[in-house]
Amino acid sequence: MIWMVMSGLIVGILLGFVMQRTRFCLTGGFRDMYVQKNNKMFYALLIAISIQSIGLFTLVGFGVFKIEAETFPLVGTILGSFVFGIGIILAGGCATGTWYRAGEGLIGSWIALVLYGVTAAIMKSGPLNSLQENINSYSVMNSNMSETLNIPVWLLIIVLVMITAYFVTKTLKKPKVAIPQLKPKYTGIRHMLFEKRYHPFVAAVAVGVIALIAWPMSASTGRVGGLGITTPSANIVQYLVTGDVSLINWGVFLVLGIFVGSYIAAKGSREFKWRMPDTKTIRNSVIGGACMGVGASLAGGCSIGNGLVSTAAMSWQGWVALPSMIFGAWFMSYFIFVKPRKARQAKTQVNTQSI
């Protein structure tokens, strides 16, 4: 029990600290692919997936643990991931992003986090569980890409690494725009930990290593799996309601650790501040959090569970979920960002012509 608590907290604190300090945000990355035509954060995600995948299958090859063959619901994964993508744009952060932004003092993230956990619990073990099971009973498929394609898993990893290397190299060759920076207030370790700004690709390496560490740390407690956010978040809600201690596992301490790590990073960098949202943000946080909980439960994972972990495990579920949640994020980004911008541009053009 002590090791389960400590190992979960250690991984969570590391992840929360790194994501808060590096601003590693998949929601912003998915949004920017459409709104700003900037794919840098998506390429960073590919780096994290590649690092985790190489390490994961190396551990499997040495017999540290075994990844069991699983199936996944195609319809539920596509539909749920799309809804989840809509939710993260409204909430202003994905599942992990919501946890670490709550640690910064954002009340809007707290609201989204509560709705996320509650709706996930309702879907997983509450009155909407029958609806989820009914939807997920259609198009159940083998999730193992290596088996269905009948090719070695290492060939898939090599292809992934080559694609990632191509886009990363291409991005790094682009001319760099000098961004003015304030004079450092700190020096040494304090500067490195709490003040220095890091390139998204550097952040991706750190996230990929932490995601890899999560596998053996989790497996050492009897839970063979990587990072996971949705089920632990739902478990916390269920535990608070029922008092069922069996719901408290490694994943619960992982997500609690994310919050603690983010808080430490925000306090150390003097970025922690209680911030009350306006009524529009509160509304979006409520709707977004609910969409995140429903979508992630239906899809069997969030942007971390499916988008980072299942993809690294060369599971069809992850690689089907990832584009689906990206399309969901783009869909909502149109109404939140693109459409209002076009309306402002059209209004400005009319005013200009009338002068």
Side-chain angles (χ1 to χ4, degrees):
M1 181 65 181
I2 295 177
W3 173 242
M4 180 181 73
V5 174
M6 294 301 297
S7 61
L9 285 175
I10 289 171
V11 176
I13 289 172
L14 286 173
L15 184 63
F17 188 96
V18 168
M19 294 189 80
Q20 197 284 329
R21 287 296 303 119
T22 62
R23 317 308 298 177
F24 191 86
C25 178
L26 296 182
T27 300
F30 296 161
R31 177 199 63 213
D32 290 348
M33 291 173 71
Y34 173 55
V35 177
Q36 299 182 7
K37 311 303 179 185
N38 184 346
N39 298 331
K40 186 179 293 183
M41 186 56 70
F42 178 72
Y43 300 153
L45 174 61
L46 292 181
I47 293 173
I49 294 172
S50 299
I51 290 174
Q52 184 186 185
S53 190
I54 293 171
L56 171 61
F57 283 99
T58 298
L59 292 175
V60 171
F62 280 104
V64 177
F65 50 79
K66 182 180 179 182
I67 301 178
E68 298 294 336
E70 295 181 347
T71 58
F72 80 103
L74 180 63
V75 174
T77 299
I78 293 174
L79 178 60
S81 297
F82 185 83
V83 172
F84 179 82
I86 291 175
I88 63 177
I89 296 299
L90 287 169
C94 64
T96 315
T98 303
W99 271 101
Y100 89 69
R101 285 194 170 92
E104 296 177 345
L106 272 68
I107 303 300
S109 293
W110 276 95
I111 295 172
L113 187 60
V114 170
L115 267 295
Y116 169 55
V118 169
T119 51
I122 292 173
M123 290 291 289
K124 288 180 174 294
S125 59
L128 292 182
N129 179 251
S130 58
L131 174 63
Q132 175 174 304
E133 291 183 348
N134 184 43
I135 295 175
N136 285 347
S137 65
Y138 297 102
S139 304
V140 178
M141 302 175 62
N142 182 0
S143 64
N144 191 309
M145 295 177 67
S146 177
E147 287 184 1
T148 56
L149 295 175
N150 196 29
I151 56 178
V153 69
W154 281 104
L155 181 58
L156 294 174
I157 296 174
I158 290 172
V159 172
L160 170 63
V161 171
M162 290 177 64
I163 292 174
T164 301
Y166 169 77
F167 285 115
V168 169
T169 303
K170 185 178 180 181
T171 301
L172 292 176
K173 286 182 178 180
K174 291 182 179 180
K176 297 180 181 179
V177 179
I179 301 176
Q181 295 185 359
L182 297 175
K183 184 179 179 180
K185 297 180 180 179
Y186 312 124
T187 58
I189 298 296
R190 189 175 183 183
H191 169 72
M192 297 293 291
L193 292 178
F194 297 109
E195 189 176 34
K196 182 178 174 61
R197 297 298 176 184
Y198 293 92
H199 192 283
F201 294 169
V202 175
V205 172
V207 171
V209 171
I210 295 170
L212 173 59
I213 293 173
W215 283 91
M217 293 284 268
S218 173
S220 67
T221 68
R223 173 190 176 275
V224 180
L227 299 173
I229 311 298
T230 303
T231 297
S233 299
N235 284 355
I236 292 175
V237 173
Q238 293 171 337
Y239 168 73
L240 293 175
V241 173
T242 66
D244 185 357
V245 181
S246 65
L247 294 167
I248 304 301
N249 58 15
W250 187 88
V252 168
F253 294 104
L254 166 72
V255 295
L256 293 176
I258 293 173
F259 175 82
V260 173
S262 172
Y263 175 77
I264 293 172
K267 288 292 287 186
S269 59
R270 297 184 179 179
E271 294 177 355
F272 179 87
K273 183 180 180 181
W274 291 112
R275 281 159 280 186
M276 181 64 67
D278 56 27
T279 54
K280 182 179 179 181
T281 302
I282 292 175
R283 180 202 65 191
N284 288 347
S285 296
V286 170
I287 299 173
C291 287
M292 286 166 58
V294 171
S297 298
L298 193 60
C302 62
S303 49
I304 293 296
N306 275 338
L308 175 62
V309 177
S310 291
T311 48
M314 290 302 158
S315 165
W316 283 116
Q317 183 168 3
W319 290 105
V320 168
L322 182 58
S324 298
M325 71 179 74
I326 290 175
F327 288 141
W330 289 358
F331 174 82
M332 186 51 59
S333 291
Y334 173 78
F335 295 101
I336 299 294
F337 304 108
V338 178
K339 187 176 180 180
R341 183 179 64 188
K342 289 182 176 179
R344 289 193 299 269
Q345 291 173 344
K347 184 178 180 179
T348 302
Q349 186 176 8
V350 171
N351 292 337
T352 302
Q353 292 175 347
S354 63
I355 296 176

